[in-house]
């Protein structure tokens, strides 16, 4: 397979980032609650079990990225292998481990939501896998010591730890009352309603910083576009549902938003 001209690849990514901005504005202005999890509702077509939906919508990210990366015509240097490991590590959890940790017995999600997520993952994983497999310039040997790499890895590690911790905490809230919701307390929940989303944003912000390319930046932009509106929705939902919800807690950015 020949790499098509990087110029067009970049043009595509600028349009793709523009689309993320449009989606962000639409979700925030119209206060759209994407109908999965607590917002699952009828009117979005047929349903699939929550667990199967998560596996099917996330696994393309793992397989497609790996396919482009491993099948690419570039010789991989240790730095790109590191990016590969970071991606595979995250998506192995998200597609094959996380769905089996959740306590969503008998819960369903609309197939339409699953297909929207698959569409996003197809483009996102292809763009990132294609860049690293076919286009990327070889990262210089000093990249390990570059400030972008060091801060990127730090942000990724802190974000991943926060994301896993917060997901685990939310899942454990359901120890006894299956499918019920409760107010999470402690740790970063003292400051924000959605530390799992804050962690995810830090992860992909860190990835964009350490990999320093347009495809990774686009992924970061889409993560912001998806998760900030959903965090605002969750925050408003907590206040509606629990009258004693802590007033000082923000939605996603401590002390700010
Ligand atoms: P949520 O916070 O909505 O839910 C996470 C899990 O915890 C679900 O099983 C949910 O159950 C349960 N839960 C949440 N809040 C409570 C509560 N107060 N009491 C009891 N149980 C609760 O996260 P999402 O489902 O939106 O996302 C899951 C993961 O996927 C996150 O780590 C997120 O960062 C990541 N993600 C990443 C995206 C990206 O663009 N990179 C996009 C979307 C998600 P239920 O499902 O029944 O509500």
């Amino acid at each position: 397979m020949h790499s098509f001209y990087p110029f067009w690849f970049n043009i595509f990514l600028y349009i793709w980032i523009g689309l993320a901005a449009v989606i962000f504005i639409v979700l925030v202005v119209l206060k759209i609650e994407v109908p999965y999890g607590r917002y699952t509702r009828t009117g979005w077509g047929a349903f699939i079990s929550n667990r199967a939906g998560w596996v099917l919508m996330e696994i393309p990210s793992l397989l497609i990225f790996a396919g482009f990366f491993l099948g690419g015509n570039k010789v991989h240097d240790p730095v790109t292998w590191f990016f590969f490991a970071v991606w595979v590590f995250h998506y192995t959890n998200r597609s094959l481990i996380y769905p089996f940790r959740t306590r969503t017995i008998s819960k369903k999600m609309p197939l339409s939501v699953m297909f929207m997520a698959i569409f996003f993952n197809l483009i996102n994983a292809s763009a990132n896998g294609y860049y690293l497999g076919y286009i990327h310039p070889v990262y210089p040997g000093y990249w390990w010591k570059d400030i972008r790499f060091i801060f990127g890895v730090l942000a990724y590690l802190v974000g991943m730890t926060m994301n896993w911790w917060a997901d685990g905490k939310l899942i454990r809230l359901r120890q006894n009352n299956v499918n019920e919701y409760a107010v999470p307390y402690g740790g970063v929940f003292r400051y924000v309603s959605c530390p799992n989303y804050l962690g995810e944003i830090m992860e992909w912000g860190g990835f964009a910083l350490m990999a320093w390319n347009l495809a990774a930046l686009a992924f970061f932009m889409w993560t912001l576009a998806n998760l900030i509106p959903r965090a605002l929705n969750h925050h408003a939902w907590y206040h509606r549902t629990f009258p004693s919800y802590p007033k000082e807690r923000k939605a996603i950015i401590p002390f700010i938003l």
Side-chain angles (χ1 to χ4, degrees):
M1 183 171 165
H2 296 289
S3 53
F4 69 91
Y5 204 35
F7 173 80
W8 291 111
F9 182 70
N10 287 345
I11 295 287
F12 171 79
L13 287 173
Y14 284 124
I15 296 170
W16 181 236
I17 289 173
L19 186 61
V22 172
I23 299 273
F24 174 78
I25 291 166
V26 169
L27 288 176
V28 170
V29 171
L30 301 182
K31 293 189 167 47
I32 293 173
E33 294 170 335
V34 179
Y36 72 94
R38 72 197 63 182
Y39 311 118
T40 301
R41 54 192 183 270
T42 53
W44 289 73
F47 288 91
I48 181 169
S49 103
N50 214 46
R51 188 157 289 156
W54 269 97
V55 173
L56 291 174
M57 72 188 182
E58 297 298 330
I59 205 145
S61 255
L62 187 59
L63 300 180
I64 290 171
F65 178 85
F68 274 109
F69 184 90
L70 298 173
N73 56 15
K74 294 283 175 189
V75 177
H76 295 302
D77 52 81
V79 176
T80 47
W81 277 116
F82 181 78
F83 299 150
F84 176 75
V86 162
W87 188 286
V88 167
F89 188 67
H90 176 90
Y91 274 106
T92 301
N93 171 55
R94 184 62 76 229
S95 60
L96 296 174
I97 299 172
Y98 171 78
F100 297 94
R101 291 177 62 213
T102 54
R103 294 162 192 263
T104 53
I105 294 170
S106 77
K107 270 204 154 181
K108 297 195 183 309
M109 73 163 71
L111 274 172
S112 52
V113 170
M114 186 190 87
F115 282 120
M116 280 189 270
I118 290 177
F119 175 73
F120 166 74
N121 281 329
L122 285 180
I123 296 196
N124 186 50
S126 301
N128 278 280
Y130 185 81
Y131 179 80
L132 292 177
Y134 288 87
I135 292 185
H136 84 93
V138 175
Y139 288 88
Y142 62 77
W143 195 250
W144 300 109
K145 295 183 198 150
D146 190 286
I147 198 81
R148 288 162 287 188
F149 184 83
I150 293 168
F151 276 104
V153 171
L154 279 177
Y156 182 88
L157 289 176
V158 172
M160 189 193 67
T161 307
M162 194 189 301
N163 177 263
W164 281 32
W165 170 80
D167 273 345
K169 177 106 180 166
L170 291 172
I171 289 166
R172 284 193 303 278
L173 280 178
R174 290 226 175 110
Q175 206 87 34
N176 303 315
N177 44 356
V178 169
N179 287 353
E180 290 298 319
Y181 292 94
V183 177
Y185 289 100
V188 194
F189 282 105
R190 242 177 280 155
Y191 304 101
V192 292
S193 295
C194 302
N196 51 344
Y197 297 164
L198 175 60
E200 182 98 23
I201 286 170
M202 287 178 69
E203 274 183 65
W204 297 114
F207 184 76
L209 203 52
M210 69 172 103
W212 202 252
N213 66 71
L214 201 54
L217 177 69
F219 186 14
F220 176 50
M221 292 300 177
W222 272 93
T223 304
L224 292 172
N226 279 322
L227 295 184
I228 291 179
R230 192 164 167 86
L232 296 175
N233 291 338
H234 276 17
H235 191 63
W237 178 92
Y238 275 123
H239 277 287
R240 276 200 313 275
T241 311
F242 302 101
S244 60
Y245 193 70
K247 300 268 179 296
E248 66 289 355
R249 200 179 287 189
K250 297 290 183 188
I252 184 153
I253 305 175
F255 312 111
I256 296 173
L257 180 69

